[in-house]
Amino acid sequence: MKLLVTGGAGYVGSVTSRLLLDAGHEVTVLDNLVTGFRSAVAPEATFVEADIADAAQVLTPGSGFDAVLHFAGLIAAGESMTKPEKYWHDNVVKSLALLDAVRAAGVPRFIFSSTAAVYGNPVELPITENAVKAPTNTYGATKLTFDHALTSEAFAHNLAAVSLRYFNVAGAYIADGHEIGERHDPETHLIPITLQVAAGKREKLQIFGDDYPTADGTCVRDYIHVQDLARAHLLALDAATAGEHRIYNLGNGNGFSNRQVVEVAREVTGVELPVEIAPRREGDPATLVASSALAREELGWVPEKNTLQAMISDAWSFYRSHVA
Ligand code: UFG
């Protein structure tokens, strides 16, 4: 297939581009490089440095794209509470412009990076796709809004749309001479921050809150290896059906507390990571654990690298050779 990958210079977009190319697809990456890295773009991909709001430059009528995979977006839940306007603009207004371009160019399929943050504090665990959606942060609200836009688009204009709701993505793609991983500046995610501390780039780790209603009082998240997540996009491309908006949660179904993550990071890195308990971060739900039963059943997706050890050790290996 001829594919447009927005955000292909970012973490999940660059790993997925690698898998798409290896599967024989033709990939064009569209990325404005505001948070992505030119060096993360697969060398075999055509690269267009542009904003998603200007996607019509590439998605011209007759351009013949079979699908758009839309990864580009802002992802820091904490920042979305202090700069919400940025999130509404980038994740909603610009994504709607991308959807206009998709419609005008007659692209039949659309795969969207949605998020567990759409659910907010879950009423029941594990979280299924039908669970109540009550985001506790602006980031989740913007992703949910675009999910709704995709539902209407699919029904009204016969688009084959799939939203993949990622839980907490971790690890790096390390195979066949390729090493592709996570680099954010500034870094806000727990696992890469523990690695920064392990590498001596940061003095200590702050755990945001230890008074949550969880076993050890710290937040619980469901971590998924980026390679497993990327694979789900290829399955979603095959499953996408005209006139339908399918939605799948992607996680392992196991929750790990922030303290447990630090313990495993200590084992993997061999560094005694100094930890300080800090106040809660605004907008953080206590526990997010996925039911991915639907993705297993309808996509045939099975996560393979599902231990925290595997994820943190791949992330550490990437961090030491490419980031530190
Ligand atoms: N945390 C700390 N200290 C830090 C950084 C994070 O204690 O220095 C805590 C957070 O408060 C939270 C947990 O670690 O309790 C995980 O936080 P992350 O920022 O790593 O990830 P989030 O769960 O906030 O969000 C991530 C992605 C979102 C996605 C979400 C789904 O960034 O895109 O997972 O669960 F929607």
Side-chain angles (χ1 to χ4, degrees):
M1 286 194 227
K2 182 174 176 182
L3 306 172
L4 183 70
V5 175
T6 77
Y11 174 37
V12 185
S14 59
V15 174
T16 308
S17 296
R18 177 77 266 143
L19 266 56
L20 291 166
L21 287 159
D22 290 349
H25 296 293
E26 183 184 332
V27 172
T28 298
V29 166
L30 180 85
D31 199 302
N32 62 12
L33 300 183
V34 169
T35 54
F37 296 86
R38 178 68 183 85
S39 58
V41 177
E44 308 95 305
T46 302
F47 178 61
V48 180
E49 184 176 343
D51 202 278
I52 51 167
D54 301 319
Q57 287 174 11
V58 183
L59 294 173
T60 52
S63 52
F65 282 94
D66 297 297
V68 169
L69 292 98
H70 180 31
F71 297 92
L74 299 175
I75 58 157
E79 184 196 43
S80 79
M81 300 304 284
T82 53
K83 296 178 184 160
E85 62 284 1
K86 244 177 99 171
Y87 281 71
W88 287 109
H89 191 257
D90 273 48
N91 291 357
V92 177
V93 176
K94 287 184 180 181
S95 291
L96 290 173
L98 171 66
L99 202 51
D100 287 341
V102 162
R103 191 183 318 113
V107 181
R109 296 175 196 83
F110 195 96
I111 313 296
F112 176 53
S113 303
S114 187
T115 170
V118 302
Y119 298 108
N121 274 305
V123 178
E124 266 186 319
L125 292 169
I127 303 169
T128 64
E129 292 79 358
N130 294 326
V132 174
K133 272 94 127 169
T136 54
N137 53 57
T138 305
Y139 164 69
T142 63
K143 289 283 184 173
L144 181 60
T145 302
F146 193 68
D147 272 344
H148 288 317
L150 274 184
T151 303
S152 344
E153 185 76 20
F155 293 147
H157 300 300
N158 218 31
L159 184 69
V162 181
S163 288
L164 299 176
R165 292 198 172 136
Y166 310 168
F167 282 63
N168 288 56
V169 191
Y173 178 78
I174 298 175
D176 307 327
H178 299 291
E179 297 191 349
I180 317 166
E182 185 167 21
R183 273 183 282 171
H184 296 118
D185 186 17
E187 188 50 76
T188 62
H189 294 100
L190 180 63
I191 291 178
I193 287 178
T194 61
L195 302 182
Q196 289 178 343
V197 178
K201 301 276 174 194
R202 202 184 265 251
E203 201 187 317
K204 63 182 176 218
L205 174 72
Q206 290 191 313
I207 290 189
F208 301 138
D210 67 351
D211 58 350
Y212 283 93
T214 59
D216 67 17
T218 66
C219 290
V220 170
R221 294 289 182 271
D222 181 340
Y223 290 87
I224 166 153
H225 197 290
V226 68
Q227 196 174 327
D228 285 329
L229 183 69
R231 245 181 339 101
H233 292 75
L234 278 76
L235 299 170
L237 265 182
D238 287 341
T241 305
E244 288 182 20
H245 179 206
R246 297 187 178 203
I247 299 178
Y248 299 105
N249 286 346
L250 298 174
N252 278 307
N254 293 314
F256 295 96
S257 74
N258 293 342
R259 280 193 198 278
Q260 286 176 307
V261 168
V262 175
E263 269 320 307
V264 176
R266 282 182 176 136
E267 277 168 35
V268 168
T269 62
V271 178
E272 185 52 43
L273 305 164
V275 168
E276 170 188 288
I277 301 300
R280 288 183 176 197
R281 189 176 68 180
E282 192 72 33
D284 272 347
T287 303
L288 290 174
V289 177
S291 161
S292 296
L294 200 63
R296 287 172 188 262
E297 191 183 310
E298 293 192 2
L299 300 180
W301 178 75
V302 183
E304 287 163 1
K305 300 191 113 184
N306 56 6
T307 65
L308 209 47
Q309 278 78 3
M311 294 182 226
I312 297 182
S313 75
D314 285 349
W316 181 227
S317 148
F318 176 80
Y319 186 90
R320 275 183 303 172
S321 39
H322 298 275
V323 189

